[in-house]
């Protein structure tokens, strides 16, 4: 017990804040991009939709290290895009917190997109038609009718996105590395201390992650519970 | 107010080819489900786009494939009442009614309050649609449409999903609410009673085409062709062979009929409504069918008899006789009749 207290006293809390910060940033970006992409996909003709859908969902099925590989190819400063971003705007992606955010966003984005799309597809298309015949503009219909009606689905997508972004490991370690206090997230911290054989510190971080995960699941159920109030019990 | 519509659209299983022009304030479109009547309404509203055609209200062109005019639904000023009302589920009654209104906030609020009063929705302003009864939802949906003063209101099977009791109440309510409305209303339905009570002018649609058109009562009295007759509720049909100026052989009924008026040259069928037979006790006479029921069905206020028409008829060909209340009492008193009389003036001459 005393050992745990000692470790807690000296614990570097930076992984928690880096993870939370990364999670929030990636979620905010995914939220808007995901809704935007979902809107495009719902409106697209079937063939085009299948292609868009495939590309946007890919990061979800690929091993994160494969995504990390592509991201490195793209953003390395020895590559055109990476070079351009650094020369023109001074943006460094590899081995920076920005890298953490980009990696987490790419991996978590499909969850947002797919949930938003599924929720929007569930909407009675007559609502959109009604909006049109009532003279509402397309963007009014989208923001005032479609998004609120798809609200529960979008909300659960947002939470899942946050959860996934918070725990991202593979792509992050490749793109952003594990620089303590800068890019060292909880997942990377756990992997690192385990390699050192420090199971106690790892255990403490695991408990922290478990608590966060439980809160997330609880929130999810709260939201979908509201939506499901008319569903019968088995 | 006049409306003229011409729509051509390929619907995969058939072509939609509809064309009509009307100055009536209340137009009904009757047709079986999937006949293209809903697609016609959606094309008028601009929700669907025809392959070719022209749609105009007064002299305002909403769609014209010739001159590439295709106004957005937002610009058509056509109201659409959906069968499920399509109220925005996350908006209150007040917000729903004001959803499409333009102008500044004070004007909008004034208009919404006016509509709430007019449609007797006081006290429900802050309710969400799923907290309302079916009747209240219909009033909100109509208030929302009327708030922005459309030139045309389209009613897409508004009563089809309702039980009989509620249906009658909402029909009366809708009629009252539309009382003061000066624009054109088009009602689409597969229920002949609904269109009969509602419309001054009637179009009957089948497989994407107009099978009959005209003043509603006229169309019901003389549907002119078999498809239209069937949709107006006529149950009994027979092919005919002309024997004289006013005599035909009803081939499927194995019966010679005197029609009392000249048989039109293009008539291929006769139709006879199931309620129009007159029971006869005793000797056979002119225009009489032997009453020889193969089966019968008992309904709360009606009794249906199914009669085999003649010796040659197949087992599934039957003539329906629907007996209503007073006559049912007569029948109970005197027993089953020997014959059914076909009355000359009630015979329908029909083309195919």
């Amino acid at each position: 017990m005393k050992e745990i207290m000692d470790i807690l006293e000296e614990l570097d809390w930076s992984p928690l804040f880096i993870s939370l910060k990364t999670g929030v940033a990636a979620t905010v970006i995914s939220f808007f991009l995901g809704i935007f992409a979902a809107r495009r996909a719902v409106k697209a003709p079937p063939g085009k939709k299948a292609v868009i859908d495939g590309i946007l969902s890919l990061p979800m099925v690929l091993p994160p290290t494969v995504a990390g590989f592509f991201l490195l190819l793209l953003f390395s400063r020895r590559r055109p895009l990476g070079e351009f971003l650094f020369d023109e705007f001074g943006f460094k992606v590899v081995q920076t917190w920005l890298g953490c955010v980009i990696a987490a966003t790419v991996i978590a984005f499909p969850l947002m997109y797919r949930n938003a799309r599924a929720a929007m597809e569930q909407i009675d298309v007559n609502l959109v038609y009604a909006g049109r015949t009532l003279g509402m503009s397309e963007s009014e219909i989208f923001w005032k009718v479609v998004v609120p009606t798809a609200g529960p689905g979008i909300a659960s997508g947002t939470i899942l996105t946050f959860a996934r972004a918070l725990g991202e490991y593979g792509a992050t370690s490749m793109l952003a590395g594990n620089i303590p206090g800068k890019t060292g997230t909880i997942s990377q911290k756990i992997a690192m201390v385990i390699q050192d054989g420090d199971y106690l510190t790892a255990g403490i971080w695991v408990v922290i992650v478990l608590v966060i995960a439980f809160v997330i699941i609880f929130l999810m159920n709260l939201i979908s519970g509201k939506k499901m109030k008319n569903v019968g019990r088995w | 107010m006049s409306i003229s519509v011409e729509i051509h659209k390929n619907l995969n299983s058939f072509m939609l080819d509809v064309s009509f022009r009307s100055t009536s304030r209340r137009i009904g479109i009757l047709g079986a489900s999937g006949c293209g009547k809903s697609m016609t309404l959606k094309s008028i509203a601009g929700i669907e786009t025809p392959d070719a055609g022209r749609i105009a209200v007064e002299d305002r062109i909403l769609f014209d494939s010739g001159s590439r005019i295709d106004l957005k639904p937002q610009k058509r000023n056509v109201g659409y009442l959906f069968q499920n009302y399509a109220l925005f589920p996350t908006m209150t009654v007040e917000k729903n009614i004001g959803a499409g209104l333009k102008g500044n906030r004070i004007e909008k609020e004034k208009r919404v309050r006016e509509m709430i009063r007019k449609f007797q929705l006081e006290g429900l302003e802050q309710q969400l649609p799923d907290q309302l009864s079916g009747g209240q939802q219909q009033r909100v949906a109509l208030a929302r449409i009327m708030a922005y003063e459309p030139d045309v209101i389209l009613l897409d099977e508004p009563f089809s999903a309702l039980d009989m009791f509620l249906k009658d109440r909402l029909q009366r309510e809708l009629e009252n609410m539309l009382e003061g409305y000066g624009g054109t209303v088009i009602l689409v339905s597969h229920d002949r009673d609904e269109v009969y009570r509602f419309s001054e002018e009637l179009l009957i649609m089948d497989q994407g085409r107009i099978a009959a058109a005209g003043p509603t009562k006229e169309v019901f009295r003389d549907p002119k062709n078999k498809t239209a007759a069937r949709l107006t509720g006529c149950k009994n049909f027979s092919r005919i062979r002309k024997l004289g100026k006013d005599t035909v052989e009803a081939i499927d009924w194995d019966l010679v009929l005197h029609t009392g008026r000249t048989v039109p040259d293009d008539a291929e069928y006769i139709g006879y409504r199931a309620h129009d037979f007159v029971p006869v006790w005793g000797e056979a006479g002119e225009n009489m069918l032997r009453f020889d029921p193969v089966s019968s069905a008992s309904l709360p206020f009606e009794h249906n008899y199914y009669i085999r028409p003649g010796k040659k008829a197949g087992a599934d060909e039957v003539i329906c006789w629907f007996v209503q209340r007073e006559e049912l009492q007569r029948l109970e008193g005197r027993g089953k009749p020997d014959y059914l009389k076909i009355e000359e003036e009630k015979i329908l001459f029909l083309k195919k």
Side-chain angles (χ1 to χ4, degrees), chain A residues 124 126-138 140-141 144-145 148-149 229, chain B residues 42 45 47 73-74 78 80 82 84 86-91 99-100 102 144-145 148:
Chain A
D124 177 8
N126 284 346
L127 294 181
V128 176
Y129 293 161
R132 286 187 188 151
T133 56
L134 289 168
M136 296 170 79
S137 71
E138 293 296 323
E140 255 184 304
I141 293 171
K144 288 187 178 168
V145 178
T149 308
K229 67 177 176 220
Chain B
K42 290 201 164 84
I47 296 166
Q74 282 94 336
V78 171
Y80 200 114
F82 293 88
N84 61 1
L87 295 174
F88 303 136
T90 56
M91 290 190 197
K102 302 281 175 279
R144 185 173 74 170
I145 291 168
Y148 76 107

Side-chain angles (χ1 to χ4, degrees), chain B residues 170-221:
Chain B
L170 292 196
Q171 276 172 339
R172 276 186 288 121
E173 250 187 42
L174 187 72
E175 277 157 22
N176 291 339
M177 286 187 290
L178 289 171
E179 198 92 309
Y181 175 68
T184 305
V185 184
I186 305 181
L187 171 94
V188 145
S189 177
H190 62 258
D191 181 336
R192 59 176 176 274
D193 297 347
E194 224 167 280
V195 290
Y196 189 84
R197 77 189 267 178
F198 171 83
S199 60
E200 297 159 8
E201 193 170 327
L202 178 65
L203 304 168
I204 294 183
M205 276 184 71
D206 180 62
Q207 289 282 308
R209 290 168 186 282
I210 291 178
T216 304
K217 300 217 160 61
E218 186 72 21
V219 174
F220 271 82
R221 205 178 51 75

